Amino acid sequence: MSEAQDLRKRSKKRYGGGHRSKKYKGSRELEVGMQGILITCNMNERKCTAEAFNLLNEYADQLYGPENFKEPEESSSEEEEDEDVEAALKKEVKQLKASSGKRERRFQAMDSGANNVIFIKTKNIDPDKLVHHILSDLHITKKNKSRVILRMLPVSGTCKAFQEDMDKYLSVFLEPWFKAPNHGSYQIAFKARNSSHNKRDDIIKALAGLVGKMNPKNKVDLTTPELTIIVEVIKSVCCISVVRDYTLYRKYNLQEVVKEEGPKDGKQEEVTTNREQKDGKEEEIKLNQEEKDGKQEEIKLNQEEKDGKQEEIKLNQEEKDGKQEEIKSNQEEKDGEQEEGKDAPKTEGKGDEEEEK
């Protein structure tokens, strides 16, 4: 029996005991209303999470100072002896409640809902500011501080990943950057994971139309945009942010931003850049055409509405003319009766004269 129990214990240690994997993933998933950072990696999510915590805490300490995380103080044994059992239980419950309230750290790993993607929920941290600070430092120093992390994307807002919900949320979320008098050149970076009901072209077209309505001065620029609207859809959650220097920091890729450009790499990069610029211009022309078509459609609808009003005025005028014609006919009929009344006595007089003769 002892050997069998020994083997059982070893197998539990080796394969995690059944519940440890669930505990590692966490009881919470990415949900609507969260802010944080989406991080992509190559196959090793556990190591990616560890690297992310180290990197985020390092730069968060620079911006916000060290995290103040205090554990509840334990009472001395002498005080516990003096208290009765009921008071000791009440105190223990109070301490447990206090400790559970303090356990929410500024960075918490969540289940993203997609493979090779982790989501780090943030608390009292601006994800845009923190991620931009990290990439700026890596771009300047060219010092690689991660092995498995690929891209690090801030998530400033989340909503349900359905067109109506996205339109409603984005019409308010994008105002600080694009609503008049604010304006700028922009591009849209869209990616959907484990979601089949979101079509890339439909989302981009709707989003470009929304930004255009906020301020006509907002222009699409896929080569050197001032702002990039990042839209990442995972299952039924849409993660959104507006970032700067997206092209400069290699699409927020930590592995690419630290690379030194050699002569050969420079030529290859130039070819790639020219291709991207060409594709970008084509996409820009397409979006501008769609925006132009939208305005023409709006002008057409306004013209149809104007023509409708003119038709209504015309019908009212015809109705008015009809009434006037009816009044005129009634008047003529009345005049005819009056004329007939005048002729009647004259006829009678002539008849009497003939009888006298």
Side-chain angles (χ1 to χ4, degrees), residues 57-282:
N57 279 307
E58 177 187 344
Y59 286 93
D61 288 347
Q62 296 176 14
L63 290 176
Y64 304 100
E67 185 177 19
N68 186 15
F69 186 73
K70 295 180 180 178
E71 296 290 347
E73 295 180 0
E74 296 182 359
S75 59
S76 62
S77 58
E78 292 179 1
E79 289 176 350
E80 287 178 357
E81 288 175 1
D82 294 337
E83 293 174 345
D84 58 3
V85 176
E86 187 178 355
L89 285 171
K90 285 181 179 179
K91 189 171 183 179
E92 188 175 352
V93 169
K94 189 177 179 181
Q95 287 178 348
L96 286 170
K97 285 181 179 180
S99 64
S100 64
K102 291 179 181 179
R103 278 178 189 166
E104 192 171 355
R105 308 290 295 264
R106 62 184 177 185
F107 300 118
Q108 296 179 64
M110 297 285 168
D111 184 6
S112 69
N115 291 331
N116 300 323
V117 180
I118 65 171
F119 180 75
I120 304 294
K121 180 186 173 186
T122 59
K123 182 182 179 184
N124 301 325
I125 296 279
D126 182 354
D128 287 341
K129 184 179 178 181
L130 178 58
V131 174
H132 191 276
H133 178 62
I134 293 171
L135 287 158
S136 175
D137 183 64
L138 297 179
H139 179 70
I140 294 168
T141 61
K142 299 296 181 184
K143 185 178 180 181
N144 195 348
K145 295 186 177 183
S146 66
R147 289 188 177 183
V148 296
I149 295 176
L150 296 179
R151 299 175 71 204
M152 188 174 277
L153 303 173
V155 177
S156 300
T158 49
C159 66
K160 291 181 179 179
F162 300 99
Q163 191 65 59
E164 292 181 4
D165 298 282
M166 291 171 67
D167 290 343
K168 186 178 179 181
Y169 183 80
L170 286 166
S171 62
V172 178
F173 178 84
L174 296 174
E175 285 183 353
W177 296 276
F178 299 107
K179 189 175 181 180
N182 299 321
H183 64 89
S185 61
Y186 70 96
Q187 67 174 347
I188 301 168
F190 175 81
K191 176 74 175 177
R193 295 179 174 88
N194 298 338
S195 174
S196 58
H197 61 273
N198 290 286
K199 304 299 181 184
R200 181 180 181 275
D201 291 343
D202 294 341
I203 297 296
I204 291 176
K205 184 177 179 181
L207 188 51
L210 184 64
V211 174
K213 285 180 182 178
M214 288 184 177
N215 191 338
K217 292 182 180 179
N218 295 322
K219 299 297 179 184
V220 177
D221 184 354
L222 301 181
T223 52
T224 54
E226 297 171 352
L227 301 167
T228 298
I229 305 171
I230 297 175
V231 181
E232 291 274 337
V233 174
I234 301 178
K235 290 186 175 179
S236 61
V237 180
C238 178
C239 303
I240 307 157
S241 62
V242 179
V243 302
R244 296 183 182 274
D245 302 318
Y246 187 72
T247 306
L248 177 65
Y249 295 156
R250 305 295 184 88
K251 300 181 179 180
Y252 280 32
N253 189 312
L254 272 63
Q255 303 300 322
E256 295 295 326
V257 77
V258 297
K259 287 183 179 178
E260 295 283 356
E261 291 185 6
K264 188 177 178 180
D265 293 339
K267 287 182 181 179
Q268 289 176 347
E269 184 66 27
E270 186 179 352
V271 172
T272 306
T273 303
N274 291 336
R275 170 60 61 182
E276 289 175 351
Q277 285 179 351
K278 186 179 178 182
D279 294 340
K281 285 180 181 178
E282 289 175 355

Side-chain angles (χ1 to χ4, degrees), residues 186 205 208-213 216 218-220 283-302:
Y186 70 96
K205 184 177 179 181
L210 184 64
V211 174
K213 285 180 182 178
N218 295 322
K219 299 297 179 184
V220 177
E283 185 70 21
E284 184 178 349
I285 291 166
K286 184 180 177 183
L287 288 171
N288 289 334
Q289 185 62 41
E290 288 172 354
E291 188 176 350
K292 186 179 177 182
D293 293 341
K295 288 180 180 178
Q296 288 177 346
E297 185 68 23
E298 187 177 353
I299 292 166
K300 186 179 176 182
L301 289 171
N302 291 334

